[in-house]
Amino acid sequence: MEPSILLLCKYGSFTVVLTVTRDFRFDDLVQSICKKWQDLVLQRFQLLYAVSDHHNCHLDNDDDFANMFALAGAYGVSCVDVGVEVLSSSSVESRELERTFDVGESSIVHGVEEDPLEKFCPHHETVRLSSGWAKLISHVGQEFRGGVDDFRSCLAKFAIEVGFVYTFLKNDKTRHLKNNLRDKLTGRLSNGFREQVISLFSDCAYAPTLLDFEEAIQELYTVGGAKAKNFVESLPRENWANAYFQGKRYGEMCSNAAESFNKWILEARHLPILSAIDKIRIQLMTQRCDRRQKSTKMNGIVCPEMDARLVEAFSKGKVWTVAQSSEEVFEVFSLPTVVVDLQNQRCTCSRWQINSFPCMHAITAIQKFGKQVTNYLDPFYFVDAYRFSYELSINPIPTLGAPNVPKEFRIILPPKTRRPRGRPKIQRIRSRGEKVRQMRCSRCKKLGKHNRNTCKEAVD
């Protein structure tokens, strides 16, 4: 009788038993698994098996299948655990790029912005998902099938992979404070010194623990000197430092919401008060309707963006080993090793507490011990919470049938003031820590940053 082994294929919280022989091919195994779980798609998942002390062995082709069979015979086991793991979109695209790469052809990888917290809890990856980007540009005179857009995409990815110097400007989360600190560093200083101080200040802001913060800030004081120290000490730490923040940041450290709204209502700001209010009302009414319709197309439990982060975390943590201490406490053997407390929703890397979203260590522990990840998510990230936020509508205000109000009562005159010469200034909201010299206006007698010539206050 031909020897056979049992494959215990586990996907999520379910396990399927398959009997295979040496004549089995890898494609036959994949087809059998896809028949068991209809939601699995070819090329969108990977197989990992474990024999004796050998864990997370890849099963990608016929050679791997034959090696698994031989390894099981060498250890004298008749059952092999096989894990079915869904790949993230970036992993799938990276694989396709490595297998079917053509000159000038590229694929856009959708990823999450790099989190500076990784600096304080680094992990050594064996294979980088962007490794194929170094092949996107190969020779002089290369043609790109997609034209200019394809060339720009290839150039950006190639530059990142081969080590070009680049910076993120759009979503720099401590941009205003950095600019303020840069202005304080006056004198005959080199740009390299200024950027070093700014980088050290960023390390202080993103330090997840008090110990990391103290180490970072002492280095900042040593390099930046008295100017940097005076600037930092003038800022309440709970307003800008992760280590001292007591609430939930949900991964945000910026005032982009206020600035985005200010830009969003830019047209309405120059209208008379009643017209401005009505225009903002229409914008809000339309926005709520659009997002309410968008929420009806969300079929999952977790919002799509956060679901993608879960998939990415599953993929990154697949090579880690997890040991259970109690029902809710685990030790994850990453680099460095961390302790995860699911009951209190804490991890020693502090990323779970800061972002209010399970870190990679917590998600790995939840997955490998068959727990439900949604039980450890903040309701803020659920689709139901998104729908509830836009459940109510803003009612239209028709003018047809409205009371006939005399014209003199419909027009609200501006306050008694005069418009100064020149174009009106539109200034951003200043960040905390920016000091502006106060002066007393001789016209309105108020403290501020204006004088009699630029005064716009209403006076009797």
Side-chain angles (χ1 to χ4, degrees):
M1 183 176 178
E2 187 177 4
S4 63
I5 59 175
L6 297 179
L7 299 184
L8 305 180
C9 303
K10 184 175 181 181
Y11 175 48
S13 58
F14 299 96
T15 302
V16 170
V17 181
L18 298 176
T19 303
V20 298
T21 62
R22 290 184 182 275
D23 296 335
F24 237 67
R25 295 175 57 84
F26 175 74
D27 292 340
D28 299 331
L29 175 61
V30 172
Q31 294 294 339
S32 300
I33 292 177
C34 289
K35 289 180 181 179
K36 296 296 183 180
W37 289 290
Q38 300 295 329
D39 58 332
L40 289 177
V41 182
L42 289 176
Q43 308 296 333
R44 297 286 174 176
F45 64 91
Q46 67 176 357
L47 302 179
L48 302 172
Y49 69 91
V51 176
S52 188
D53 295 332
H54 302 281
H55 300 279
N56 297 319
C57 299
H58 282 266
L59 188 58
D60 292 333
N61 49 46
D62 291 336
D63 293 336
D64 292 342
F65 185 84
N67 293 335
M68 179 190 68
F69 215 100
L71 195 61
Y75 282 93
V77 298
S78 59
C79 296
V80 176
D81 294 327
V82 178
V84 182
E85 297 187 357
V86 178
L87 291 173
S88 63
S89 59
S90 57
S91 300
V92 173
E93 292 177 359
S94 178
R95 283 190 165 196
E96 293 175 352
L97 189 63
E98 294 176 357
R99 293 176 181 177
T100 61
F101 175 77
D102 291 327
V103 175
E105 191 174 30
S106 65
S107 59
I108 299 176
V109 178
H110 299 277
V112 182
E113 181 186 352
E114 181 182 359
D115 192 342
L117 284 174
E118 292 284 3
K119 178 183 179 70
F120 299 93
C121 192
H123 302 293
H124 301 286
E125 300 291 342
T126 56
V127 179
R128 295 174 58 179
L129 298 178
S130 61
S131 59
W133 292 358
K135 304 176 183 177
L136 292 176
I137 298 179
S138 58
H139 60 274
V140 178
Q142 177 179 340
E143 295 183 359
F144 297 86
R145 299 177 183 178
V148 176
D149 292 337
D150 190 14
F151 170 71
R152 288 175 177 171
S153 176
C154 291
L155 180 60
K157 295 177 182 178
F158 178 81
I160 292 174
E161 181 60 25
V162 300
F164 285 13
V165 178
Y166 63 95
T167 56
F168 294 101
L169 295 179
K170 181 178 180 181
N171 291 321
D172 190 355
K173 298 180 180 181
T174 54
R175 184 177 69 251
H176 296 320
L177 287 180
K178 290 179 181 178
N179 290 337
N180 297 341
L181 176 57
R182 187 179 286 107
D183 293 338
K184 300 295 182 181
L185 300 175
T186 57
R188 301 180 63 180
L189 303 174
S190 65
N191 290 332
F193 174 78
R194 288 191 177 92
E195 294 307 320
Q196 181 184 6
V197 175
I198 297 301
S199 178
L200 293 175
F201 175 74
S202 180
D203 293 344
C204 296
Y206 285 100
T209 65
L210 294 177
L211 179 61
D212 292 331
F213 179 85
E214 290 301 327
E215 292 179 355
I217 204 167
Q218 290 303 323
E219 186 176 1
L220 173 63
Y221 289 165
T222 302
V223 177
K227 292 184 178 179
K229 184 176 182 179
N230 294 336
F231 175 79
V232 172
E233 290 183 348
S234 66
L235 306 175
R237 293 182 176 180
E238 63 274 11
N239 292 349
W240 64 276
N242 270 331
Y244 286 88
F245 188 74
Q246 301 299 322
K248 295 183 178 181
R249 285 198 185 275
Y250 296 102
E252 296 294 339
M253 282 188 65
C254 56
S255 59
N256 286 357
E259 295 181 4
S260 298
F261 183 78
N262 194 35
K263 179 67 177 296
W264 191 52
I265 63 170
L266 188 60
E267 296 181 4
R269 289 170 54 189
H270 303 286
L271 298 176
I273 182 63
L274 293 180
S275 300
I277 292 175
D278 195 56
K279 183 172 180 59
I280 296 174
R281 176 190 64 82
I282 295 174
Q283 286 182 259
L284 292 173
M285 180 178 66
T286 304
Q287 182 195 63
R288 294 183 69 88
C289 181
D290 293 341
R291 295 187 176 180
R292 186 164 54 251
Q293 293 176 356
K294 177 183 177 181
S295 67
T296 59
K297 301 178 182 179
M298 298 180 182
N299 299 322
I301 301 176
V302 185
C303 291
E305 181 180 348
M306 309 316 298
D307 189 55
R309 292 191 183 185
L310 290 175
V311 174
E312 183 181 9
F314 287 144
S315 178
K316 288 186 176 181
K318 64 187 178 184
V319 297
W320 297 337
T321 303
V322 182
Q324 187 172 15
S325 172
S326 64
E327 185 63 27
E328 298 290 338
V329 179
F330 304 87
E331 184 174 359
V332 181
F333 295 93
S334 59
L335 293 174
T337 300
V338 297
V339 177
V340 175
D341 185 350
L342 298 183
Q343 182 176 2
N344 296 317
Q345 297 189 357
R346 299 182 65 85
C347 178
T348 52
C349 76
S350 298
R351 298 186 65 192
W352 195 353
Q353 299 91 287
I354 292 172
N355 294 331
S356 305
F357 189 81
C359 59
M360 291 185 295
H361 312 106
I363 293 174
T364 302
I366 292 170
Q367 180 201 28
K368 293 194 174 182
F369 283 86
K371 296 180 179 293
Q372 189 66 29
V373 67
T374 53
N375 294 338
Y376 301 97
L377 292 180
D378 194 293
F380 175 81
Y381 298 109
F382 289 167
V383 173
D384 289 341
Y386 185 90
R387 290 172 179 165
F388 180 75
S389 300
Y390 301 100
E391 182 179 8
L392 299 179
S393 303
I394 296 179
N395 296 325
I397 303 178
T399 58
L400 182 64
N404 187 14
V405 180
K407 185 177 180 180
E408 58 270 18
F409 294 104
R410 294 200 304 262
I411 300 177
I412 299 179
L413 298 177
K416 294 180 179 180
T417 184
R418 61 176 180 175
R419 179 176 176 178
R421 293 179 298 175
R423 183 174 298 177
K425 296 181 180 179
I426 302 176
Q427 297 180 349
R428 65 171 176 85
I429 301 174
R430 293 186 176 270
S431 305
R432 183 181 294 272
E434 284 188 89
K435 295 183 179 180
V436 179
R437 186 173 64 89
Q438 299 289 315
M439 63 178 69
R440 185 175 298 278
C441 176
S442 60
R443 179 172 176 269
C444 64
K445 310 301 181 183
K446 294 182 180 179
L447 283 175
K449 55 181 180 180
H450 65 277
N451 55 23
R452 183 179 185 86
N453 295 330
T454 59
C455 181
K456 299 179 183 179
E457 296 291 334
V459 294
D460 296 333

